[in-house]
Structures are given as structure tokens and as C-alpha cells.
Amino acid sequence: MTAARMDAVGPREAVAGIRRILLATDLSTASDGATSQALELAHDLAADLVVLSVIEPPARRSGGPAPRVDQLRGDRELAARETVERGRRMGVAVEFLIWEGSPGESVVEAAASEQVDLVVVGSHGRGSMGRLLIGSVSDHVVRHAPCPVLVVRTRPTPTPAALRESLPRRAARPAR
């Protein structure tokens, strides 16, 4: 579709083909922006939302003793309950899936098997060095997904000093 054609049909009609959205999330606070964006899109487009969380196999996780997969699954289900309930309060049909495997590959496979029209994934915004050292799930998904991908960057948490700087300055009172 050319830019001129998109303007002619309007933005709502241009995305009318999006009926199933896949939210790939690790259910951490870093994924909150992607979760909010996926819920809003699903609501606005009257689309179904599939929430996917991937558990990496114990051999791939680093540091300390590995928790059992059933414990991880239970933790994910509890964490996902809030997202599912939030979506349902908005009138969005939400389902939740837990897959085991490599996160990037699992998201791509889930997008294909669930026949979604859009994938929403968060990005921690680590930059090129972070991707070089630890890889990037969002980068893998963008390169291999069978449908469009929306990457939602995590906004850095402002420091107290940055918050003070953003406050409006008071005018100085004249001396008496």
C-alpha cells in the first residue's frame, strides 16, 4: 500500500486486518510499556490478544541454582493473571501461553502457530554492546517473525536529580 493510498483509506481501515496480536513479555516491569501498548491496540482494533511468556531451559540460564520449571511456570501464571484481568476489564479477549525454549525463536514460532497479525515486544534498549554480548530477543523477532513487529522501548526511570530539573522554577521573591 502506498503512502497516498494509506491516507485515502485512513489509519483505522489500513490496520483493519489486525485481528490477533501477540504480546511477547517476560512479565517484568521492563515489559510494562509493551503490555500497555498491546492492550490499547487490541482494544482500539477490537483484536484478540495472546500473551506469551517464554521460560528458558535451565541449561541456558546463568548464575546460581536453577529453579524448577514448574516453579517458574507457576510464578509466570500468577504474574500474567493481572495482565489477563486488565485486558478483560477493557473488553479485550485475552489468552495466556507459556512456552519453554529460546525466547526469540519461541516468539517467532508462536507468532506463526497462533496465526497472529502483529507481534508486540519490549526492548530494554541496551544498545549495540548489550546486543553483542547477550543478544536481543526483539532484534531476532523483528528479523524472523512472519508478520509485522512493534518494538516498544523501555523508558529509563528518571533519577531524583532529573525529576528536580524537570520541575518548573519558581520566580524569585523580591527582598523586603
Side-chain angles (χ1 to χ4, degrees), residues 24 27 60 72 76 104 129 142 149 153:
L27 299 167
R60 291 190 50 137
L72 292 171
R76 299 281 173 103
M129 280 305 288
V142 166
V149 177
R153 294 214 37 193

Side-chain angles (χ1 to χ4, degrees), residues 107-113 115-117 119 141-149:
V107 171
V108 170
E109 289 174 23
S113 71
Q115 299 178 336
V116 300
D117 304 302
V119 174
V141 174
V142 166
R143 293 177 189 277
H144 298 97
C147 60
V149 177

Side-chain angles (χ1 to χ4, degrees), residues 18-93:
I18 297 177
R19 292 285 157 237
R20 281 179 67 80
I21 298 171
L22 175 72
L23 166 63
T25 177
D26 62 3
L27 299 167
S28 70
T29 55
S31 297
D32 287 349
T35 299
S36 294
Q37 187 70 58
L39 285 166
E40 289 173 23
L41 281 169
H43 176 266
D44 291 349
L45 299 172
D48 295 339
L49 181 64
V50 179
V51 179
L52 172 70
S53 186
V54 179
I55 298 173
E56 287 190 85
R60 291 190 50 137
R61 286 184 238 130
S62 60
R68 294 181 3 201
V69 172
D70 61 331
Q71 290 172 327
L72 292 171
R73 182 176 292 275
D75 292 345
R76 299 281 173 103
E77 288 172 357
L78 284 174
R81 188 173 298 152
E82 181 182 331
T83 301
V84 171
E85 290 172 2
R86 184 174 158 199
R88 290 184 177 158
R89 283 191 306 270
M90 295 172 67
V92 175

Side-chain angles (χ1 to χ4, degrees), residues 18 46 58 73-74 96 99 108 111 120-121 140 144 153 162 169 173:
I18 297 177
R73 182 176 292 275
F96 179 68
W99 281 31
V108 170
V120 178
V121 63
H140 181 87
H144 298 97
R153 294 214 37 193
R169 305 256 187 239
R173 292 186 179 173

